[in-house]
């Protein structure tokens, strides 16, 4: 394992969730950024974590294929007719 | 009529066009959620159908104390989880504490990807790898990640949909992101 696990690195790991969601307090953010400036490993981890989040957030939403949509509409109309018959 | 509560109210009173509008408005979201939760496209389609059949049948019981979309996401997520559970040994309950053993939570793959997310998203192969990485997540983490980072719900909304606490959402979300980062880092290292 290339990553040498120092105490500071461990502390950064535990503060990452709030930091990534922009919820860490200002002094924690500063401490994290100071550490990132001189720890290559943590910088790569934080950078690739941010990229991971960005990738999924920006991935396009799939359209519903036409045939899937058509079958959904048909099923719902069957259910609606069927339920009405039962309720009569 | 375009706001949810008006549409829901009309649909509750038997207005079929209002119900059809709700389906139109949300089917892509539900389908996208189901596609990310289920490996098999046929299962995703089943989840889509079961979700809207359930919405149709239970809309009269919907009180409007939660938002319609939260209620809908809850039905769709439960339909996905039930389908997943039907074919495997039961997973841990969503309320069970996440095992945050340090070994699993520590980053292993320390490699610069050498690609921006914008460039990466242009590649069909990368998108397939992203889907495979989500598929590989344990279900209880996958549901949290899909709702929060793919569907874009807030942490609070995700907690409401899954009926778990906000800290629980945060823990699971972080764990999921770490696992996905490992998976994608291995991929980009190989692809380099
Ligand atoms: Zn470090």
């Amino acid at each position: 394992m290339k990553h040498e696990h120092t105490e500071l690195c461990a502390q950064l790991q535990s503060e990452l969730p709030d930091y990534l969601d922009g919820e860490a307090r200002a002094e924690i953010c500063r401490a994290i950024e100071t550490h990132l400036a001189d720890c290559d490993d943590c910088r790569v981890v934080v950078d690739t974590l941010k990229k991971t989040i960005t990738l999924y957030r920006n991935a396009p939403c799939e359209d519903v294929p036409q045939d899937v949509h058509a079958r959904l509409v048909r099923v719902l109309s069957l259910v609606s007719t069927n339920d009405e018959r039962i309720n009569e | 009529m375009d706001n949810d509560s008006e549409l829901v109210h009309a649909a509750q009173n038997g207005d079929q066009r209002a119900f059809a509008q709700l389906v139109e408005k949300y089917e892509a979201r539900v389908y996208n959620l189901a596609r990310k939760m289920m490996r098999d496209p046929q299962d995703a389609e089943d989840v889509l159908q079961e979700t809207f059949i359930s919405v149709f049948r239970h809309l009269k019981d919907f009180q409007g104390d939660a938002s319609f979309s939260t209620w809908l996401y809850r039905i769709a997520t439960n339909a996905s989880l039930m389908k997943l559970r039907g074919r495997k040994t039961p997973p841990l309950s969503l309320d069970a504490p996440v095992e945050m053993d340090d070994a699993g939570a520590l980053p292993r793959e320390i490699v610069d990807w050498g690609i921006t997310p914008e460039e990466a998203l242009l590649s069909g192969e990368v998108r397939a790898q992203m889907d495979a990485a989500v598929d590989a997540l344990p279900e209880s983490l996958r549901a949290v990640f899909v709702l929060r980072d793919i569907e874009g719900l807030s942490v609070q909304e995700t907690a409401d949909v899954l009926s778990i606490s906000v800290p629980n959402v945060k823990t699971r979300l972080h764990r999921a992101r770490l696992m996905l980062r490992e998976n994608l880092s291995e991929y980009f290292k190989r692809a380099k």
Side-chain angles (χ1 to χ4, degrees):
Chain A
M1 194 169 72
K2 183 172 138 205
H3 193 61
E4 288 217 10
H5 198 62
T6 71
E7 226 167 276
L8 273 175
C9 300
Q11 198 188 334
L12 177 132
Q13 290 298 324
S14 73
E15 281 156 355
L16 269 186
D18 282 345
Y19 176 72
L20 290 170
D21 280 325
E23 289 180 3
R25 282 176 307 155
E27 68 251 44
I28 301 225
C29 287
R30 269 197 302 277
I32 289 177
E33 274 146 25
T34 306
H35 179 73
L36 291 181
D38 51 42
C39 179
D40 289 344
D41 284 357
C42 283
R43 195 166 56 242
V44 169
V45 170
V46 170
D47 174 63
T48 48
L49 259 176
K50 284 182 176 168
K51 281 182 174 164
T52 300
I53 297 167
T54 307
L55 268 184
Y56 286 99
R57 292 224 166 134
N58 293 350
C61 177
E62 265 181 78
D63 280 332
V64 182
Q66 262 314 311
D67 55 330
V68 172
H69 170 75
R71 285 191 291 270
L72 174 66
V73 170
R74 197 166 67 232
V75 163
L76 288 173
S77 106
L78 281 176
V79 166
S80 132
T81 325
N82 196 39
D83 286 7
E84 268 168 34
R85 210 174 296 146
I86 291 168
N87 291 335
E88 264 164 22
Chain B
M1 246 187 323
D2 49 6
N3 94 38
D4 285 356
S5 54
E6 284 174 37
L7 285 172
V8 168
H9 189 72
Q12 282 175 326
N13 289 303
D15 182 341
Q16 297 202 353
R17 283 185 48 203
F19 182 77
Q21 263 182 274
L22 284 171
V23 174
E24 290 269 340
K25 182 169 175 187
Y26 284 107
E27 70 174 323
R29 307 298 334 171
V30 171
Y31 187 66
N32 201 46
L33 170 107
R35 287 285 281 137
K36 301 302 174 197
M37 288 297 294
M38 319 300 296
R39 184 182 294 266
D40 176 19
Q42 182 58 53
D43 284 345
E45 181 170 354
D46 289 350
V47 166
L48 175 71
Q49 294 185 356
E50 284 161 21
T51 298
F52 282 106
I53 290 172
S54 184
V55 168
F56 178 78
R57 294 210 163 124
H58 299 287
L59 195 59
K60 57 182 186 312
D61 305 321
F62 172 68
Q63 299 290 335
D65 37 347
S67 76
F68 175 74
S69 64
T70 301
W71 184 69
L72 175 68
Y73 273 119
R74 188 177 300 149
I75 293 173
T77 309
N78 285 341
S80 305
L81 290 172
M82 269 164 58
K83 206 164 216 24
L84 288 167
R85 279 158 203 195
R87 56 190 47 186
K88 276 196 296 194
T89 49
L92 288 171
S93 139
L94 274 172
D95 280 324
V98 192
E99 286 169 50
M100 289 299 279
D101 58 298
D102 280 349
L106 279 181
R108 279 173 288 125
E109 208 58 78
I110 317 280
V111 51
D112 185 46
W113 292 0
I115 188 170
T116 66
E118 293 71 26
E119 291 162 345
L121 281 173
L122 296 175
S123 153
E125 199 191 303
V126 171
R127 291 206 305 274
Q129 183 65 33
M130 287 167 63
D131 284 347
V134 171
D135 264 343
L137 291 174
E139 280 143 42
S140 64
L141 302 188
R142 198 188 312 154
V144 171
F145 181 78
V146 169
L147 289 168
R148 171 75 182 110
D149 279 347
I150 296 184
E151 296 292 312
L153 273 61
S154 69
V155 168
Q156 182 65 58
E157 286 166 336
T158 305
D160 291 345
V161 166
L162 296 170
S163 307
I164 60 178
S165 70
V166 164
N168 200 333
V169 169
K170 288 184 177 176
T171 310
R172 280 165 206 276
L173 181 66
H174 190 59
R175 192 56 182 279
R177 287 168 170 177
L178 288 172
M179 291 179 75
L180 294 167
R181 192 204 73 85
E182 289 298 334
N183 186 311
L184 295 175
S185 292
E186 279 165 32
Y187 167 79
F188 285 117
K189 189 167 100 178
R190 264 183 281 125
K192 253 186 182 178

